[in-house]
Amino acid sequence: GAGVSQTPSNKVTEKGKYVELRCDPISGHTALYWYRQSLGQGPEFLIYFQGTGAADDSGLPNDRFFAVRPEGSVSTLKIQRTERGDSAVYLCASSSGRGGTDTQYFGPGTRLTVL
Amino acid sequence: EDKVVQSPLSLVVHEGDTVTLNCSYEVTNFRSLLWYKQEKKAPTFLFMLTSSGIEKKSGRLSSILDKKELFSILNITATQTGDSAIYLCAVEAGLGFGNEKLTFGTGTRLTIIP
């Protein structure tokens, strides 16, 4: 596609439920990133994929968070047993993956609200 | 731990004014500094800076990097109401050839009054 797309745009769930957030990167981009942005803050890194593998998952806050990218394109961020503190905008970005100075392009995000 | 600090946190000016937004950083193995504009949810790319003293320009926006003093500025001249947004500064740092995560500042919220 022309840009990074994310679905759903908004997700409201109850504490303790499981959610999945989807990211479709720019066609041909091998690098994919997930960030989380809380109100009044800049985005914070969660995980980075190069192809199908997670090259850096150091930003995942705990084991309730997991992400996959089985075919090296679409990625899903999965959150188990959601907590109110998980409420935030989850942003996905992609880049060409060629390394060096490689620009990350962001999607519109998913606003997650945990009641 | 990598750190990016932006100032001011908030700025309100009148249409036509010129503004300067600041970004300072402390990172290990600096690679690049990026500016993004965030109007609703999606940050949109403005500039990537890798070399000191070379100004990047796009229309009324320009930016420059000082790698000795570890800061960058984003200038917007003849501001318009459409410039109202949060401006994010981010730094990419790392040793390897591959891609690296971005560390963001908290952003500067710019409001342009007609």
Side-chain angles (χ1 to χ4, degrees):
Chain A
V4 179
S5 62
Q6 293 186 244
T7 55
S9 57
N10 287 284
K11 175 72 177 176
V12 180
T13 191
E14 294 178 343
K15 180 175 178 295
K17 299 290 188 183
Y18 168 82
V19 296
E20 289 190 352
L21 313 178
R22 176 188 166 110
C23 172
D24 202 338
I26 293 171
S27 179
H29 278 190
T30 61
L32 185 147
Y33 311 78
W34 284 99
Y35 293 83
R36 177 168 73 172
Q37 187 174 24
S38 301
L39 195 62
Q41 301 296 315
E44 291 180 312
F45 171 76
L46 295 175
I47 186 169
Y48 150 52
F49 288 90
Q50 181 62 259
T52 60
D56 182 355
D57 64 358
S58 62
L60 294 177
N62 52 60
D63 62 6
R64 294 186 298 106
F65 289 74
F66 188 71
V68 295
R69 195 185 184 200
E71 297 177 359
S73 180
V74 170
S75 175
T76 304
L77 178 66
K78 308 180 181 193
I79 310 174
Q80 298 177 319
R81 303 182 305 281
T82 51
E83 300 177 356
R84 294 194 178 89
D86 299 334
S87 296
V89 175
Y90 289 80
L91 294 165
C92 176
S94 72
S95 69
S96 69
R98 64 177 181 268
T101 51
D102 190 16
T103 303
Q104 294 182 28
Y105 296 94
F106 283 82
T110 294
R111 184 180 299 280
L112 176 65
T113 303
V114 182
L115 301 176
Chain B
E1 184 180 333
D2 295 343
K3 187 176 177 184
V4 177
V5 178
Q6 292 186 245
S7 64
L9 293 181
S10 180
L11 187 57
V12 180
V13 300
H14 288 95
E15 200 168 21
D17 288 351
T18 292
V19 298
T20 298
L21 310 183
N22 304 291
C23 176
S24 63
Y25 60 91
E26 293 177 27
V27 301
T28 304
N29 301 310
F30 173 89
R31 289 171 64 168
S32 63
L33 184 144
L34 298 92
W35 285 96
Y36 289 87
K37 178 182 181 183
Q38 187 173 32
E39 292 179 85
K40 290 185 178 176
K41 287 194 286 187
T44 54
F45 173 74
L46 294 175
F47 298 112
M48 175 186 280
L49 303 153
T50 57
S51 301
S52 271
I54 299 175
E55 184 182 57
K56 293 248 176 140
K57 196 170 172 63
S58 176
R60 296 177 294 102
L61 277 67
S62 63
S63 183
I64 197 161
L65 173 68
D66 185 328
K67 289 168 74 172
K68 182 179 176 186
E69 300 298 329
L70 308 182
F71 77 90
S72 173
I73 60 172
L74 175 68
N75 279 319
I76 309 174
T77 59
T79 51
Q80 301 171 359
T81 54
D83 296 328
S84 295
I86 295 172
Y87 289 83
L88 294 166
C89 173
V91 172
E92 183 184 27
L95 272 175
F97 175 75
N99 294 70
E100 301 285 349
K101 65 184 180 185
L102 296 178
T103 299
F104 281 86
T106 53
T108 293
R109 180 180 293 275
L110 177 64
T111 303
I112 310 298
I113 300 171

